[in-house]
Amino acid sequence: GENVEQHPSTLSVQEGDSAVIKCTYSDSASNYFPWYKQELGKRPQLIIDIRSNVGEKKDQRIAVTLNKTAKHFSLHITETQPEDSAVYFCAVRKEYGNKLVFGAGTILRVKS
Amino acid sequence: ETGVTQTPRHLVMGMTNKKSLKCEQHLGHNAMYWYKQSAKKPLELMFVYNFKEQTENNSVPSRFSPECPNSSHLFLHLHTLQPEDSALYLCASSQGRSGSYNSPLHFGNGTRLTVT
């Protein structure tokens, strides 16, 4: 089955700096790659996603890059703010499948 | 209002109890999911229902029994659980295979389960 590895497990950055979280996956048939943000005591929420026919997608301060050959994708947050502090999960899914496999999560702390 | 509502928010039960978790979605989705979230572990997929039919059982012990009477409601029946089953149980829904290509999951707020 699919195996998703996420790094780092914790990340501390100074307010205003950038944060990068990386995920690798094993199944080359996977072609949908979302990122979820989970604040303390709240539900995971989709923040950005990318499909395999695209190499990069950007939404304001958040961007995701995908390297299908190397089977890895990354979340980039620029100009970090304290409210970006949360747990971030990457996930992977095959075409038209229902099974979304998650990474272990990254605890991001933005220090002001 | 998240679109996916779970009850109860918190549940404490003994190992011999029987209880049920409830999930309801108001998004018109066709697929519903149960995930288990334990500390320092990835979100673990437990069950998937697509148009009320179970399409995925991720080797979940029989003490967890799902029920999906229609596309809007999903239950997780719990019986003779173990302390290691204590976790946050998250329900989610999505458009499903017949809907939008690779539609995202929408999660509920979860039920925090403690087994004593």
Side-chain angles (χ1 to χ4, degrees):
Chain A
E2 178 67 272
N3 184 40
V4 181
E5 293 194 4
Q6 184 172 343
H7 298 281
S9 56
T10 59
L11 178 59
S12 289
V13 299
Q14 204 64 36
E15 182 177 359
D17 287 351
S18 294
V20 181
I21 303 169
K22 183 175 175 179
C23 282
T24 60
Y25 61 98
S26 58
D27 191 341
S28 56
S30 298
N31 66 352
Y32 174 63
F33 310 92
W35 285 91
Y36 284 80
K37 174 184 179 182
Q38 187 176 25
E39 296 177 39
L40 190 63
K42 296 190 176 180
R43 62 192 171 97
Q45 288 189 277
L46 179 74
I47 54 172
I48 195 167
D49 57 10
I50 192 167
R51 290 162 176 80
S52 60
N53 58 343
V54 175
E56 183 174 355
K57 183 177 177 181
K58 197 170 181 181
D59 183 3
Q60 300 182 341
R61 296 187 297 108
I62 295 171
V64 55
T65 58
L66 171 65
N67 184 327
K68 276 221 83 177
T69 305
K71 290 190 276 190
H72 66 72
F73 58 110
S74 299
L75 178 71
H76 305 254
I77 306 174
T78 58
E79 300 170 32
T80 53
Q81 300 166 3
E83 51 265 37
D84 294 329
S85 296
V87 182
Y88 291 82
F89 295 95
C90 65
V92 172
R93 187 163 70 193
K94 292 182 189 179
E95 183 174 359
Y96 296 116
N98 283 127
K99 190 172 180 177
L100 196 63
V101 179
F102 284 84
T106 296
I107 301 172
L108 174 64
R109 295 191 186 92
V110 180
K111 298 176 284 187
S112 56
Chain B
E1 177 57 51
T2 67
V4 180
T5 305
Q6 287 187 246
T7 54
R9 289 297 307 275
H10 302 272
L11 178 62
V12 179
M13 60 186 288
M15 288 190 282
T16 58
N17 290 159
K18 285 185 184 180
K19 296 284 184 184
S20 295
L21 310 185
K22 181 182 175 183
C23 177
E24 185 175 358
Q25 59 95 1
H26 309 276
L27 300 168
H29 289 163
N30 302 310
M32 296 189 78
Y33 311 74
W34 281 116
Y35 277 87
K36 177 183 178 182
Q37 187 173 32
S38 306
K40 299 184 180 178
K41 280 188 176 181
L43 281 155
E44 298 172 59
L45 179 65
M46 300 175 73
F47 301 104
V48 181
Y49 279 82
N50 205 36
F51 287 96
K52 302 188 299 176
E53 287 189 19
Q54 189 180 121
T55 56
E56 189 84 32
N57 178 337
N58 213 27
S59 303
V60 181
S62 59
R63 58 185 184 269
F64 294 91
S65 175
E67 179 190 358
C68 188
N70 54 62
S71 293
S72 299
H73 294 84
L74 185 66
F75 297 89
L76 188 63
H77 304 299
L78 315 172
H79 179 48
T80 59
L81 295 193
Q82 306 297 312
E84 59 264 30
D85 296 322
S86 299
L88 180 68
Y89 288 84
L90 288 161
C91 173
S93 70
S94 73
Q95 195 63 32
R97 290 204 201 104
S98 70
S100 303
Y101 173 62
N102 278 324
S103 66
L105 293 184
H106 294 258
F107 285 93
N109 285 321
T111 294
R112 174 70 62 188
L113 174 67
T114 304
V115 182
T116 60

